[in-house]
Amino acid sequence: MDSTVKLDNLTKILQEMGNVAVAFSGGVDSSFLAAAAQRALGDKAVAVTAYSETLPESERQEAIAIAKQIGIRHVLLHISELNSDEFVANTPDRCYYCKKERFDALKRWADDENIAWVLEGSNADDKSDYRPGMRAIDELCGVRSPLLEAGLTKEEIRVISKEWGVPTWNKPSAACLSSRVAYGLPVTAERLKQIEQAEDFLKQFCRGQVRVRHHDNLARIEVSPEDIAGLTAPDKAGLISAELRKLGFTFVTLDLAGYRTGSMNAVLDLPGKQ
């Protein structure tokens, strides 16, 4: 099925829902979904950014700017996944508890506003990844994944976003700060702030992706392969080590494999893992 047919299907799905609240992070998928909902439903669509300690402040501000550019009504809804003991425990099912907490709050808000559906931005490619959060979505009434239903892939979403002028069409993938905390290490506001500040500092030296993986007293830095050599220069390496030590890390290491999505899942015994 080509992307034109999939896009037509997406429009029909949205129109049949009548009025919707899009769970809006300002990432590639949720921005495209918000733009599609705005086109299909006009003022019957609203983007809702549920923000908490797991969302960097820079991304919250970016979400506000992107929603304004798309032209969709935008609401900020404060929540805290840290209220969930299961989330804080940081087991491999952390994303399940995160999604459950987040979308329970979004659904309550939507119900109060007489909005029939809450939409989330999973796409067709997400079916092949380890995403326990999808289980929480499946369990909730009134929450749907229209990009997944229409069969749209990440690449198709980027191409159509570019055609529509959605500013996130070439935005790098992102994930919440809690995804940087090693499984079994409790997720705390202090650790999330450490990660946010460390990544903000490192971005001045990098053009590509930056992740600081939190292994308690050790910070494991992942950057795009082209940025690795620059960080190993003695002057920069010393500066980075000193700054991250100030933030509370005892050891600072650079992962020579470079940035890759889901690297924390390497410790899990997943089906099909080599």
Side-chain angles (χ1 to χ4, degrees):
M1 188 188 307
D2 68 26
S3 59
T4 302
V5 175
K6 294 178 183 179
L7 186 56
D8 288 342
N9 287 342
L10 174 63
T11 301
K12 290 175 185 174
I13 290 168
L14 293 169
Q15 289 174 338
E16 287 170 359
M17 284 193 269
N19 60 353
V20 301
V22 179
F24 184 73
S25 67
V28 176
D29 297 326
S30 69
S31 295
F32 171 73
L33 181 55
Q38 172 70 10
R39 284 170 172 244
L41 297 169
D43 61 7
K44 293 182 179 179
V46 57
V48 184
T49 299
Y51 69 96
S52 69
E53 299 90 343
T54 68
L55 181 72
E57 176 60 21
S58 59
E59 290 187 26
R60 183 165 77 100
Q61 294 302 323
E62 193 171 351
I64 293 170
I66 292 167
K68 185 175 181 179
Q69 188 166 340
I70 290 170
I72 190 170
R73 182 165 72 93
H74 186 217
V75 172
L76 294 170
L77 179 66
H78 183 260
I79 66 165
S80 181
E81 297 94 342
L82 298 182
N83 291 329
S84 165
D85 291 340
E86 293 90 350
F87 173 82
V88 169
N90 196 20
T91 67
D93 277 341
R94 180 196 63 239
C95 288
Y96 168 81
Y97 297 111
C98 174
K99 289 279 191 184
K100 187 173 178 60
E101 191 81 16
R102 182 171 295 259
F103 280 89
D104 275 344
L106 284 167
K107 192 64 179 68
R108 288 194 300 271
W109 180 88
D111 288 343
D112 289 343
E113 297 293 320
N114 294 314
I115 295 173
W117 295 97
V118 172
L119 309 184
E120 69 92 34
S122 295
N123 63 63
D125 294 334
D126 293 330
K127 292 189 294 185
S128 61
D129 196 6
Y130 176 68
R131 292 182 180 266
M134 290 299 298
R135 180 160 50 93
I137 299 301
D138 291 340
E139 291 174 1
L140 291 168
C141 295
V143 180
R144 290 176 65 174
S145 310
L147 303 181
L148 183 59
E149 291 178 33
L152 284 156
T153 66
K154 188 73 149 194
E155 182 58 30
E156 289 169 332
I157 288 165
R158 288 189 184 277
V159 169
I160 300 169
S161 292
K162 185 178 182 180
E163 292 172 356
W164 286 1
V166 179
T168 52
W169 70 270
N170 62 346
K171 185 176 181 179
S173 59
C176 76
L177 292 171
S178 59
S179 68
R180 277 78 141 167
V181 183
Y183 290 126
L185 190 65
V187 178
T188 65
E190 292 75 21
R191 286 184 172 126
L192 297 174
K193 182 55 70 174
Q194 272 183 292
I195 295 166
E196 181 177 5
Q197 291 176 336
E199 290 185 354
D200 283 346
F201 180 78
L202 283 163
K203 284 174 184 175
Q204 66 184 298
F205 305 114
C206 303
R207 290 180 295 176
Q209 290 276 28
V210 175
R211 296 288 188 273
V212 174
R213 310 295 189 183
H214 200 308
H215 298 265
D216 198 6
N217 62 352
L218 182 145
R220 178 168 58 88
I221 300 169
E222 292 181 14
V223 297
S224 299
E226 60 270 21
D227 288 322
I228 289 177
L231 298 189
T232 62
D235 57 338
K236 285 185 184 175
L239 190 64
I240 291 166
S241 178
E243 183 64 25
L244 269 62
R245 286 170 184 266
K246 286 181 189 176
L247 294 176
F249 293 105
T250 306
F251 304 103
V252 180
T253 185
L254 178 63
D255 193 322
L256 298 182
Y259 165 75
R260 64 266 190 214
T261 59
S263 71
M264 287 304 202
N265 294 333
V267 300
L268 304 181
D269 185 19
L270 300 175
K273 180 178 175 181
Q274 297 297 315

